[in-house]
Amino acid sequence: MSVPAEAAGTAAPLGPPATSAPPDPAPEGVVAAPGDGAPEVRAPGAGADVAAVLDGIPARTGTPALGARARTCLPTPVTLRPGDALALLSSNALALGQAALGLHGVDRLLRATHAVAALSLAAVSGSAEAYAAPVHTLRPYPGAVRAAGEVRRLLGLPDLPEGSGRRIQDPYGFRAFPQVHGCALDAGERLREVVEAEINCPSENPLLALDGTAAYHHGGFFAAPLGHALETVNLTLLQTAQLSAARLTALGDPALTGLPAFLAAGPASSSGTMILEYTAHSALAELRTCAAPASVGHAVLSHGLEEAASFAGQAARQTLRATEAYRTVFACELVCAVRALRMHAVPPEIAVFAVADEALPDGMDDRPLTGDVTAAAELLWLLAQF
């Protein structure tokens, strides 16, 4: 049963995303069972509990770290008993928890994307005209305005950049980045709104009047808003990741960079970073799977009384998988962008490159690039803070 909406308390928005990287996620990464038999919700990482994730969230000045507060403020885990399942299912607790964890990862990766795209633009001496403020004032989609502004900020460009770079018009991977990535930013904000609303609003059925004189049976638990918001995020992640793969290919093209093919520095038979295209496109294939809407499914239960389902839980798990695939794609692009900039006669003097140059392995020789991609994937969490 639900408490009345008036008694639900003041809505508490989700905190800002964490600034330290959680460990790699476990499969589906959702619930683990500790030794005492009580259910324990885990973040998308082996051994990372909720309080540990919150340790990375900056608290207001003069207040304890959110992780420390969580250890004292979170309710004691509840041992489920016979009869509890219906209330748990009606509250969408598991789907909401997974959606919140997915949002947490998506938000950080979308912010890190600005840094990666900016480095790639610098590496191909791309035109900044596509990022000029007047272009996005004319079509004021919030996400596109933000994406263009972030790239300008990271590269130290004015709102009205001058010069067209090496080409009058760059490939879409560079020229259409604000428009495509902006949709992902807007989808992420919509998901945040829905998750905050769902977490702070009672959805159990029925809803009881404050004075106990009435009970309202309803379908407020039907998680269509959450499912659709998650699916939109998954689709937009795919779109912006596809541009990342396109930029990755461009970084290996001498006609665009003026550098050796595949950024190779050894003998003529050297393959440089070519193998990373395969890695990125493999991750893109996983992203396409995750972008298939879960809501196209259908279920009829209880002799037709429950003849629809939101499949929000499936959409949330797809988001968790999508964030990992997305992270791999952009780690590959980051490795190539930094290598290309290292090959420039005069690398750019910008903070984001200085950090990436210091963090990623040196050397241009042909070698397994697993360590480079792994380091880049971890670096993305730091770049999200720029």
Side-chain angles (χ1 to χ4, degrees), residues 314-334:
Q314 285 78 0
R317 290 189 286 277
Q318 287 174 211
T319 300
L320 291 172
R321 287 167 45 210
T323 54
E324 284 308 299
Y326 184 95
R327 184 181 175 198
T328 298
V329 174
F330 278 86
C332 291
E333 182 188 355
L334 179 57

Side-chain angles (χ1 to χ4, degrees), residues 92-177:
N92 295 311
L94 181 57
L96 274 171
Q98 292 176 325
L101 293 172
L103 171 62
H104 170 78
V106 166
D107 183 80
R108 291 198 295 168
L109 288 172
L110 291 181
R111 286 186 282 119
T113 297
H114 298 129
V116 179
L119 291 173
S120 291
L121 184 68
V124 299
S125 301
S127 173
E129 291 178 357
Y131 300 83
V135 173
H136 301 284
T137 300
L138 186 64
R139 294 168 59 84
Y141 293 108
V145 170
R146 177 183 167 193
E150 285 297 287
V151 171
R152 292 197 309 269
R153 179 181 65 81
L154 290 164
L155 294 178
L157 299 173
D159 288 349
L160 303 175
E162 298 179 358
S164 58
R166 291 171 59 94
R167 293 157 296 278
I168 294 177
Q169 295 194 97
D170 287 319
Y172 283 178
F174 304 95
R175 185 157 40 112
F177 171 76

Side-chain angles (χ1 to χ4, degrees), residues 12 14 28 42 52 58 87 124 157 162 181 191 193 201 223 246 262 277 296 302 336:
L14 296 177
E28 303 289 327
R42 291 189 182 273
V124 299
L157 299 173
E162 298 179 358
H181 189 63
L191 177 58
E193 292 172 2
C201 295
F262 304 115
E277 290 188 55
V296 300
S302 300
C336 292

Side-chain angles (χ1 to χ4, degrees), residues 239-277:
Q239 290 283 304
T240 194
Q242 287 177 161
L243 283 196
S244 174
R247 291 191 298 272
L248 174 60
T249 297
L251 288 165
D253 185 352
L256 291 171
T257 64
L259 300 170
F262 304 115
L263 306 176
S269 60
S270 299
S271 61
T273 59
M274 180 180 68
I275 194 65
L276 295 186
E277 290 188 55

Side-chain angles (χ1 to χ4, degrees), residues 2 23 27 38 55 87 111 116 170 186 215 217 221 231 322 328 332 355 372:
S2 171
D55 276 335
R111 286 186 282 119
V116 179
D170 287 319
D186 290 339
H217 294 269
F221 53 83
E231 290 174 347
T328 298
C332 291
V355 169
D372 299 63

